[in-house]
Amino acid sequence: MMLRGAPEGQATAVTRPLSTASVLCQVEPVGRWFEAFVKRRNMHVSASFQELEDEKELSEESGDEELQLEEFPMLKTLDPKDWKNQDHYLVLGLGHMRFKASQKQIKAAHKAMVLKHHPDKRKAAGEQIGEGDNDYFTCITKAYEILSDPVKRRAFNSVDPTFDNTVPSKSEAKENFFEVFSPVFERNARWSNIKNVPKLGDVNSSFEEVDAFYSFWYNFDSWREFSYLDEEEKEKAECRDERRWIEKQNRATRAQRKKEEMNRIRTLVDTAYSCDPRIKKFKEEEKAKKEAEKKAKVDAKRKEQEEKEKQRQAELEAVRLAKEKKEEETRQQALLIKKEKDIQKKAIKKERQKLRTICKNWNYFSDNEAECVKMMEEVEKLCDRLELASLQCLNEALTSTTRDEGKAAVEKQIEEVNEQIRKEREEADARLRQTTKSSEKSTGGGGGGSKNWSEDDLQLLIKAVNLFPAGTNSRWEVIANYMNLHSTTGIKRTAKDVINKAKSLQKLGIFIFTLIKRMISTKRLLINLKKSMVLCQRQRLLHHPNGLKYHLQTPLLGPQKSKNF
């Protein structure tokens, strides 16, 4: 069917009737139809595909008419029996075209050779003709038989005697690499099963082009086979076993030659790769790139390490500053606490002095010397026991009241303090007794020396422990001898008894030891006050106007007050 040419830029539309309605289909020319479409569009005429085929055949025939054959001078000297070793292209006069010759050209060349060298024609011309197959015309027939058959022609082309199988050496390609290797690769490209073989290129070829070229040749797929060189022909075998043996031998020979051919191609590619100046340049660039990347990586790592070190130093500095700040705050807080304590201490000292002064101005609320001394002791006890707030309240009360009201306030405060001291003593005694009982139970009785520890013995034990600290030679024996020497109870203590009692006292805790020490210090304070009062009384008597008479009439406070201690 002939299609009418469509206007330029538009597609040809074909409609066909359907059962219910017509559908418009878009048809795009493809392949030969596209070539016809382009020709019609360019020539602005319509043509059938048959006309195109006729034009193609006419062009081929015109090419055959222009075919130029080269006469083979050695044709008449060829041995018809040795046809397998002859060059069939030269026999047909196609030595200048060889594998590029088409089947039409081979057919035309054979026709021309037959018209010129046929035995009948030569015989009519009076030429001597060989008998049977001994005439050289047999070589022409064999050449056409081989080249007209695509399979046999392919086998002959694989072993083309004019093909150059040589591989350039490295020394040859030192200076003129592209001039030496480019033609070698071009002539070997004819064996590739894949068309569009990449070119070797030049010195300005990109890395992608060079990589594609060597990748293609390192994976070269050759169609070259060597069946034409088979020494034995299986058609001549007399039986099936002989034919199989011939086929086996031929396959082995072909495989060996194929292997040698691939080794030759690999050697060619390896030699070219090792001599290619572009490869050297790419390797140097790659090496420089890797070194640059390595250097950049090292620099990045070093920079990262520096950043980490800087960050660590910053963290250490922050920690140090925080620590210094905390220490400074602690120091400031300690100074503030110390300052507050000093202020409180000064305030307590001031309030104590104020209390003493008020009581002294009122002669300790009595005209009797003994009562004055007793009140003085109680006032000192208040100064030692009362806190700052209590002292301030008491001083304010004494400042704003009369003597009698002040005395009542002081006596009330004294009663509270004495009650508190009494409770503390009872609690301490109870704890001491409880600890003594538990220590006696734990030691299993411990003999008579572990019982009947009086308060004086306990104070003597504490004093001995302080006098003979840890590290003293035979410490507990020394402490036991010291107690036996100074004890008034007459009970003899052993080192074991002393150790057990010391352990039991240690279990009581710091509170009891502190309380006992406070009791001892209070007793010593009262003794010192008593001595000072006696001394003051004696001094006053000595300077009294009545002199010795008043001194003899006034009894000393020492013996009287000693009954209270």
Side-chain angles (χ1 to χ4, degrees), residues 513-524:
F513 282 101
T514 305
L515 182 61
I516 294 174
K517 288 182 180 180
R518 183 178 292 177
M519 292 169 59
I520 295 172
S521 62
T522 304
K523 188 172 182 180
R524 288 178 180 176

mmCIF file with all atom_site columns, all heavy atoms in Angstrom, residues 513-524:
data_model
loop_
_atom_site.group_PDB
_atom_site.id
_atom_site.type_symbol
_atom_site.label_atom_id
_atom_site.label_alt_id
_atom_site.label_comp_id
_atom_site.label_asym_id
_atom_site.label_entity_id
_atom_site.label_seq_id
_atom_site.pdbx_PDB_ins_code
_atom_site.Cartn_x
_atom_site.Cartn_y
_atom_site.Cartn_z
_atom_site.occupancy
_atom_site.B_iso_or_equiv
_atom_site.pdbx_formal_charge
_atom_site.auth_seq_id
_atom_site.auth_comp_id
_atom_site.auth_asym_id
_atom_site.auth_atom_id
_atom_site.pdbx_PDB_model_num
ATOM 1   N N   . PHE A 1 513 ? 31.311 12.184 126.844 1.00 0.00 ? 513 PHE A N   1
ATOM 2   C CA  . PHE A 1 513 ? 32.656 12.678 127.138 1.00 0.00 ? 513 PHE A CA  1
ATOM 3   C C   . PHE A 1 513 ? 32.658 14.197 127.250 1.00 0.00 ? 513 PHE A C   1
ATOM 4   O O   . PHE A 1 513 ? 33.291 14.767 128.147 1.00 0.00 ? 513 PHE A O   1
ATOM 5   C CB  . PHE A 1 513 ? 33.626 12.240 126.035 1.00 0.00 ? 513 PHE A CB  1
ATOM 6   C CG  . PHE A 1 513 ? 34.052 10.811 126.164 1.00 0.00 ? 513 PHE A CG  1
ATOM 7   C CD1 . PHE A 1 513 ? 33.471 9.835  125.381 1.00 0.00 ? 513 PHE A CD1 1
ATOM 8   C CD2 . PHE A 1 513 ? 35.023 10.431 127.071 1.00 0.00 ? 513 PHE A CD2 1
ATOM 9   C CE1 . PHE A 1 513 ? 33.842 8.515  125.492 1.00 0.00 ? 513 PHE A CE1 1
ATOM 10  C CE2 . PHE A 1 513 ? 35.406 9.108  127.178 1.00 0.00 ? 513 PHE A CE2 1
ATOM 11  C CZ  . PHE A 1 513 ? 34.816 8.143  126.386 1.00 0.00 ? 513 PHE A CZ  1
ATOM 12  N N   . THR A 1 514 ? 31.942 14.839 126.360 1.00 0.00 ? 514 THR A N   1
ATOM 13  C CA  . THR A 1 514 ? 31.881 16.297 126.407 1.00 0.00 ? 514 THR A CA  1
ATOM 14  C C   . THR A 1 514 ? 31.203 16.772 127.683 1.00 0.00 ? 514 THR A C   1
ATOM 15  O O   . THR A 1 514 ? 31.640 17.752 128.321 1.00 0.00 ? 514 THR A O   1
ATOM 16  C CB  . THR A 1 514 ? 31.111 16.814 125.188 1.00 0.00 ? 514 THR A CB  1
ATOM 17  O OG1 . THR A 1 514 ? 31.715 16.318 124.006 1.00 0.00 ? 514 THR A OG1 1
ATOM 18  C CG2 . THR A 1 514 ? 31.117 18.337 125.149 1.00 0.00 ? 514 THR A CG2 1
ATOM 19  N N   . LEU A 1 515 ? 30.115 16.085 128.051 1.00 0.00 ? 515 LEU A N   1
ATOM 20  C CA  . LEU A 1 515 ? 29.407 16.453 129.276 1.00 0.00 ? 515 LEU A CA  1
ATOM 21  C C   . LEU A 1 515 ? 30.286 16.288 130.508 1.00 0.00 ? 515 LEU A C   1
ATOM 22  O O   . LEU A 1 515 ? 30.339 17.168 131.380 1.00 0.00 ? 515 LEU A O   1
ATOM 23  C CB  . LEU A 1 515 ? 28.139 15.599 129.406 1.00 0.00 ? 515 LEU A CB  1
ATOM 24  C CG  . LEU A 1 515 ? 27.244 15.889 130.612 1.00 0.00 ? 515 LEU A CG  1
ATOM 25  C CD1 . LEU A 1 515 ? 26.739 17.334 130.546 1.00 0.00 ? 515 LEU A CD1 1
ATOM 26  C CD2 . LEU A 1 515 ? 26.070 14.926 130.657 1.00 0.00 ? 515 LEU A CD2 1
ATOM 27  N N   . ILE A 1 516 ? 31.028 15.175 130.545 1.00 0.00 ? 516 ILE A N   1
ATOM 28  C CA  . ILE A 1 516 ? 31.913 14.933 131.690 1.00 0.00 ? 516 ILE A CA  1
ATOM 29  C C   . ILE A 1 516 ? 33.017 15.986 131.737 1.00 0.00 ? 516 ILE A C   1
ATOM 30  O O   . ILE A 1 516 ? 33.343 16.524 132.804 1.00 0.00 ? 516 ILE A O   1
ATOM 31  C CB  . ILE A 1 516 ? 32.500 13.516 131.613 1.00 0.00 ? 516 ILE A CB  1
ATOM 32  C CG1 . ILE A 1 516 ? 31.369 12.482 131.780 1.00 0.00 ? 516 ILE A CG1 1
ATOM 33  C CG2 . ILE A 1 516 ? 33.560 13.309 132.668 1.00 0.00 ? 516 ILE A CG2 1
ATOM 34  C CD1 . ILE A 1 516 ? 31.816 11.053 131.575 1.00 0.00 ? 516 ILE A CD1 1
ATOM 35  N N   . LYS A 1 517 ? 33.575 16.301 130.586 1.00 0.00 ? 517 LYS A N   1
ATOM 36  C CA  . LYS A 1 517 ? 34.621 17.330 130.555 1.00 0.00 ? 517 LYS A CA  1
ATOM 37  C C   . LYS A 1 517 ? 34.058 18.676 130.997 1.00 0.00 ? 517 LYS A C   1
ATOM 38  O O   . LYS A 1 517 ? 34.717 19.442 131.693 1.00 0.00 ? 517 LYS A O   1
ATOM 39  C CB  . LYS A 1 517 ? 35.195 17.437 129.140 1.00 0.00 ? 517 LYS A CB  1
ATOM 40  C CG  . LYS A 1 517 ? 36.069 16.263 128.748 1.00 0.00 ? 517 LYS A CG  1
ATOM 41  C CD  . LYS A 1 517 ? 36.633 16.460 127.359 1.00 0.00 ? 517 LYS A CD  1
ATOM 42  C CE  . LYS A 1 517 ? 37.505 15.278 126.958 1.00 0.00 ? 517 LYS A CE  1
ATOM 43  N NZ  . LYS A 1 517 ? 38.065 15.451 125.591 1.00 0.00 ? 517 LYS A NZ  1
ATOM 44  N N   . ARG A 1 518 ? 32.796 18.957 130.519 1.00 0.00 ? 518 ARG A N   1
ATOM 45  C CA  . ARG A 1 518 ? 32.181 20.227 130.927 1.00 0.00 ? 518 ARG A CA  1
ATOM 46  C C   . ARG A 1 518 ? 31.958 20.260 132.434 1.00 0.00 ? 518 ARG A C   1
ATOM 47  O O   . ARG A 1 518 ? 32.165 21.295 133.082 1.00 0.00 ? 518 ARG A O   1
ATOM 48  C CB  . ARG A 1 518 ? 30.863 20.410 130.176 1.00 0.00 ? 518 ARG A CB  1
ATOM 49  C CG  . ARG A 1 518 ? 30.183 21.736 130.490 1.00 0.00 ? 518 ARG A CG  1
ATOM 50  C CD  . ARG A 1 518 ? 28.910 21.886 129.683 1.00 0.00 ? 518 ARG A CD  1
ATOM 51  N NE  . ARG A 1 518 ? 29.207 22.033 128.276 1.00 0.00 ? 518 ARG A NE  1
ATOM 52  C CZ  . ARG A 1 518 ? 28.267 22.130 127.346 1.00 0.00 ? 518 ARG A CZ  1
ATOM 53  N NH1 . ARG A 1 518 ? 26.979 22.088 127.683 1.00 0.00 ? 518 ARG A NH1 1
ATOM 54  N NH2 . ARG A 1 518 ? 28.607 22.261 126.081 1.00 0.00 ? 518 ARG A NH2 1
ATOM 55  N N   . MET A 1 519 ? 31.564 19.132 133.004 1.00 0.00 ? 519 MET A N   1
ATOM 56  C CA  . MET A 1 519 ? 31.366 19.060 134.454 1.00 0.00 ? 519 MET A CA  1
ATOM 57  C C   . MET A 1 519 ? 32.673 19.302 135.183 1.00 0.00 ? 519 MET A C   1
ATOM 58  O O   . MET A 1 519 ? 32.740 20.047 136.160 1.00 0.00 ? 519 MET A O   1
ATOM 59  C CB  . MET A 1 519 ? 30.795 17.685 134.840 1.00 0.00 ? 519 MET A CB  1
ATOM 60  C CG  . MET A 1 519 ? 29.359 17.463 134.345 1.00 0.00 ? 519 MET A CG  1
ATOM 61  S SD  . MET A 1 519 ? 28.824 15.750 134.521 1.00 0.00 ? 519 MET A SD  1
ATOM 62  C CE  . MET A 1 519 ? 29.010 15.556 136.285 1.00 0.00 ? 519 MET A CE  1
ATOM 63  N N   . ILE A 1 520 ? 33.747 18.677 134.634 1.00 0.00 ? 520 ILE A N   1
ATOM 64  C CA  . ILE A 1 520 ? 35.052 18.851 135.264 1.00 0.00 ? 520 ILE A CA  1
ATOM 65  C C   . ILE A 1 520 ? 35.498 20.303 135.162 1.00 0.00 ? 520 ILE A C   1
ATOM 66  O O   . ILE A 1 520 ? 35.990 20.906 136.141 1.00 0.00 ? 520 ILE A O   1
ATOM 67  C CB  . ILE A 1 520 ? 36.081 17.917 134.632 1.00 0.00 ? 520 ILE A CB  1
ATOM 68  C CG1 . ILE A 1 520 ? 35.693 16.454 134.923 1.00 0.00 ? 520 ILE A CG1 1
ATOM 69  C CG2 . ILE A 1 520 ? 37.480 18.201 135.132 1.00 0.00 ? 520 ILE A CG2 1
ATOM 70  C CD1 . ILE A 1 520 ? 36.553 15.446 134.184 1.00 0.00 ? 520 ILE A CD1 1
ATOM 71  N N   . SER A 1 521 ? 35.331 20.896 133.952 1.00 0.00 ? 521 SER A N   1
ATOM 72  C CA  . SER A 1 521 ? 35.750 22.290 133.777 1.00 0.00 ? 521 SER A CA  1
ATOM 73  C C   . SER A 1 521 ? 34.920 23.226 134.642 1.00 0.00 ? 521 SER A C   1
ATOM 74  O O   . SER A 1 521 ? 35.414 24.218 135.192 1.00 0.00 ? 521 SER A O   1
ATOM 75  C CB  . SER A 1 521 ? 35.629 22.678 132.309 1.00 0.00 ? 521 SER A CB  1
ATOM 76  O OG  . SER A 1 521 ? 34.280 22.580 131.888 1.00 0.00 ? 521 SER A OG  1
ATOM 77  N N   . THR A 1 522 ? 33.586 22.941 134.793 1.00 0.00 ? 522 THR A N   1
ATOM 78  C CA  . THR A 1 522 ? 32.734 23.772 135.652 1.00 0.00 ? 522 THR A CA  1
ATOM 79  C C   . THR A 1 522 ? 33.175 23.686 137.099 1.00 0.00 ? 522 THR A C   1
ATOM 80  O O   . THR A 1 522 ? 33.238 24.698 137.822 1.00 0.00 ? 522 THR A O   1
ATOM 81  C CB  . THR A 1 522 ? 31.277 23.319 135.522 1.00 0.00 ? 522 THR A CB  1
ATOM 82  O OG1 . THR A 1 522 ? 30.891 23.377 134.156 1.00 0.00 ? 522 THR A OG1 1
ATOM 83  C CG2 . THR A 1 522 ? 30.349 24.211 136.345 1.00 0.00 ? 522 THR A CG2 1
ATOM 84  N N   . LYS A 1 523 ? 33.516 22.500 137.557 1.00 0.00 ? 523 LYS A N   1
ATOM 85  C CA  . LYS A 1 523 ? 33.977 22.321 138.929 1.00 0.00 ? 523 LYS A CA  1
ATOM 86  C C   . LYS A 1 523 ? 35.283 23.070 139.165 1.00 0.00 ? 523 LYS A C   1
ATOM 87  O O   . LYS A 1 523 ? 35.455 23.744 140.184 1.00 0.00 ? 523 LYS A O   1
ATOM 88  C CB  . LYS A 1 523 ? 34.163 20.831 139.207 1.00 0.00 ? 523 LYS A CB  1
ATOM 89  C CG  . LYS A 1 523 ? 34.454 20.528 140.668 1.00 0.00 ? 523 LYS A CG  1
ATOM 90  C CD  . LYS A 1 523 ? 34.442 19.017 140.898 1.00 0.00 ? 523 LYS A CD  1
ATOM 91  C CE  . LYS A 1 523 ? 34.693 18.714 142.380 1.00 0.00 ? 523 LYS A CE  1
ATOM 92  N NZ  . LYS A 1 523 ? 34.684 17.264 142.631 1.00 0.00 ? 523 LYS A NZ  1
ATOM 93  N N   . ARG A 1 524 ? 36.162 23.006 138.169 1.00 0.00 ? 524 ARG A N   1
ATOM 94  C CA  . ARG A 1 524 ? 37.423 23.739 138.294 1.00 0.00 ? 524 ARG A CA  1
ATOM 95  C C   . ARG A 1 524 ? 37.177 25.237 138.310 1.00 0.00 ? 524 ARG A C   1
ATOM 96  O O   . ARG A 1 524 ? 37.818 25.996 139.050 1.00 0.00 ? 524 ARG A O   1
ATOM 97  C CB  . ARG A 1 524 ? 38.347 23.382 137.125 1.00 0.00 ? 524 ARG A CB  1
ATOM 98  C CG  . ARG A 1 524 ? 38.918 21.980 137.229 1.00 0.00 ? 524 ARG A CG  1
ATOM 99  C CD  . ARG A 1 524 ? 39.781 21.671 136.016 1.00 0.00 ? 524 ARG A CD  1
ATOM 100 N NE  . ARG A 1 524 ? 40.344 20.317 136.094 1.00 0.00 ? 524 ARG A NE  1
ATOM 101 C CZ  . ARG A 1 524 ? 41.066 19.764 135.136 1.00 0.00 ? 524 ARG A CZ  1
ATOM 102 N NH1 . ARG A 1 524 ? 41.288 20.433 134.010 1.00 0.00 ? 524 ARG A NH1 1
ATOM 103 N NH2 . ARG A 1 524 ? 41.538 18.543 135.300 1.00 0.00 ? 524 ARG A NH2 1
#
